[in-house]
Amino acid sequence: MLWLMTMGRRLNGVYAAFMLVAFMMGVAGALQAPTLSLFLSREVGAQPFWVGLFYTVNAVAGIAVSLWLAKRSDRRGDRRTLILFCCLMAVGNALLFAFNRHYLTLLTCGVLLASLANTAMPQLFALAREYADSSAREVVMFSSVMRAQLSLAWVIGPPLAFMLALNYGFTAMFSIAAAIFAISLALIAFALPSVARVEPPAERVVAQGSGWGDKNVRMLFIASTLMWTCNTMYIIDMPLWISSALGLPDKLAGILMGTAAGLEIPAMILAGYYVKRFGKRRMMIVAVAAGVLFYIGLILFHSREALLALQLFNAVFIGIVAGIGMLWFQDLMPGRAGAATTLFTNSISTGVILAGVIQGALAQSVGHFAVYWMMAAIALVALVMTLRVKDV
């Protein structure tokens, strides 16, 4: 456990605060996201197409808002104030879902609040990157351990979400999420630092204007988008597929998500430890290949035991992509931590847009099994695109 010893030597109050805030916000998010498709289907009464459309509209709004806020944060530098505002919006969003069941209200007011709330996490990671740089901390391991807090949150969140929703109702579940966001808000206000904006060295100024103009950034964005398209299609469809198509218990969906998240933690930590030896590109290729095997496995194996075993491949896929993928964007866009991190998260949002449309259309017109064939095909394309991005 060399990484744990290293982290222990470097632990301080600010470091611990970053870890705790990431964990708390991760738990709150993991209470809401896994059950959203069930909530829209059962509580709101939305058909599969409208469930998928909700994810799509939510993602489109999220991209627009997060891009605008990212540019503002990179210019003005004080991310903590922005994170506080976004976390406050997260409290309001959770309360809206707790007490409202009107589809159009959720699609408008809910989407607006969610798009602001979802910007908190990439800005938190951007602030962490700047803090690590300013305090001479090892960035890759710092980011990997911090990202592991989200996986730990997803170990707890999905099973707890399904337990609360199925036994106590969605109002109780969303209210608890709002309370956790409120606690996170207090932690951000009193424990996280404001890191001054540092101008990059003169020789790196050229990279400031690269961004989307760099073919490697574009290729990585497309590959990352396809990866997250697959993952989001799985998150949307799996709770419905488990119960309606496979006839398995509803709570199994939460167990599968929690198992994958638990396995992601060692995958992330090992990825952070070995990235210097093997490089980001090689590790990402291994991750996407594991994703291909996971989605093919979902087509072939449908027993409870097989689905649990397949989560190992899912954990390697998401664990490495979520940590190393974000750092790869940051390395390709030096001096623009906020924009690079937001570009990575917008690849997730773009994936959600595609996933919502594809999953909703396929599930409604063809059936749930077709969704998994599509996931496997998209994962293969993502693997090809990843092979075309340079290492840094």
Side-chain angles (χ1 to χ4, degrees):
M1 301 298 287
L2 180 61
W3 68 270
L4 186 58
M5 294 171 60
T6 302
M7 289 298 105
R9 289 195 298 267
R10 297 182 177 182
L11 186 65
N12 62 25
V14 175
Y15 180 91
F18 272 112
M19 299 299 123
L20 185 57
V21 170
F23 174 73
M24 294 288 289
M25 291 178 64
V27 169
L31 284 177
Q32 298 175 91
T35 57
L36 180 58
S37 59
L38 279 180
F39 170 77
L40 293 172
S41 177
R42 297 184 180 180
E43 292 284 305
V44 182
Q47 294 299 310
F49 174 80
W50 297 105
V51 173
L53 180 67
F54 187 93
Y55 280 84
T56 297
V57 173
N58 192 37
V60 170
I63 289 175
V65 170
S66 62
L67 277 175
W68 176 69
L69 291 177
K71 290 180 180 178
R72 178 185 174 88
S73 69
D74 280 340
R75 271 198 318 269
R76 303 199 176 184
D78 185 7
R79 300 187 193 280
R80 194 183 68 158
T81 302
L82 176 58
I83 297 169
L84 284 168
F85 171 74
C86 293
C87 197
L88 182 62
M89 295 301 100
V91 175
N93 182 60
L95 290 175
L96 178 66
F97 276 76
F99 299 104
N100 187 280
R101 297 296 183 270
H102 189 257
Y103 181 85
L104 287 178
T105 302
L106 296 174
L107 189 66
T108 51
C109 296
V111 162
L112 176 61
L113 291 171
S115 62
L116 293 167
N118 291 339
T119 307
M121 194 59 76
Q123 289 298 319
L124 181 66
F125 274 90
L127 180 63
R129 173 72 185 248
E130 291 172 346
Y131 172 74
D133 287 339
S134 67
S135 58
R137 294 182 179 276
E138 212 289 310
V139 172
V140 174
M141 185 58 74
F142 185 18
S143 179
S144 295
V145 175
M146 188 171 164
R147 181 60 181 80
Q149 305 310 305
L150 297 186
S151 290
L152 181 60
W154 275 75
V155 173
I156 299 168
L160 180 61
F162 280 92
M163 184 275 290
L164 290 171
L166 296 175
N167 295 325
Y168 301 99
F170 284 96
T171 297
M173 187 199 72
F174 283 115
S175 296
I176 290 173
I180 296 173
F181 274 126
I183 296 172
S184 301
L185 185 67
L187 286 171
I188 295 165
F190 294 106
L192 292 191
S194 292
V195 180
R197 177 83 165 95
V198 178
E199 292 299 325
E203 62 270 18
R204 302 180 76 179
V205 171
V206 174
Q208 291 276 0
S210 58
W212 189 251
D214 187 329
K215 68 177 182 179
N216 288 288
V217 173
R218 292 197 306 271
M219 202 68 65
L220 182 57
F221 180 85
I222 294 169
S224 183
T225 294
L226 295 176
M227 298 172 204
W228 294 107
T229 298
C230 295
N231 182 64
T232 307
M233 287 174 68
Y234 171 73
I235 291 174
I236 296 172
D237 196 80
M238 187 267 287
L240 304 174
W241 180 57
I242 286 290
S243 58
S244 65
L246 300 185
L248 296 170
D250 286 341
K251 66 180 182 180
L252 179 60
I255 294 172
L256 293 177
M257 291 184 185
T259 299
L263 294 171
E264 281 174 22
I265 296 174
M268 285 179 185
I269 300 302
L270 289 173
Y273 184 75
Y274 285 108
V275 68
K276 287 186 177 179
R277 180 183 301 181
F278 298 107
K280 297 180 179 67
R281 181 178 182 273
R282 188 176 299 178
M283 298 196 73
M284 287 284 285
I285 290 170
V286 170
V288 185
V292 172
L293 293 176
F294 172 61
Y295 296 117
I296 291 175
L298 292 177
I299 295 171
L300 299 176
F301 307 106
H302 301 142
S303 69
R304 181 181 186 275
E305 294 73 19
L307 292 173
L308 283 168
L310 285 170
Q311 299 308 312
L312 177 61
F313 295 100
N314 190 23
V316 171
F317 174 44
I318 299 302
I320 295 177
V321 168
I324 303 303
M326 179 178 66
L327 294 173
W328 204 356
F329 273 103
Q330 291 175 345
D331 288 348
L332 288 169
M333 300 173 63
R336 302 180 64 194
T341 306
T342 299
L343 192 59
F344 172 72
T345 57
N346 280 344
S347 73
I348 302 176
S349 298
T350 306
V352 174
I353 293 171
L354 296 174
V357 172
I358 296 169
Q359 184 277 335
L362 286 177
Q364 179 119 3
S365 60
V366 184
H368 290 286
F369 286 104
V371 175
Y372 296 87
W373 284 96
M374 182 60 73
M375 288 182 203
I378 294 174
L380 280 170
V381 177
L383 179 59
V384 173
M385 302 298 285
T386 304
L387 288 165
R388 301 180 63 182
V389 184
K390 72 175 183 179
D391 204 353
V392 179

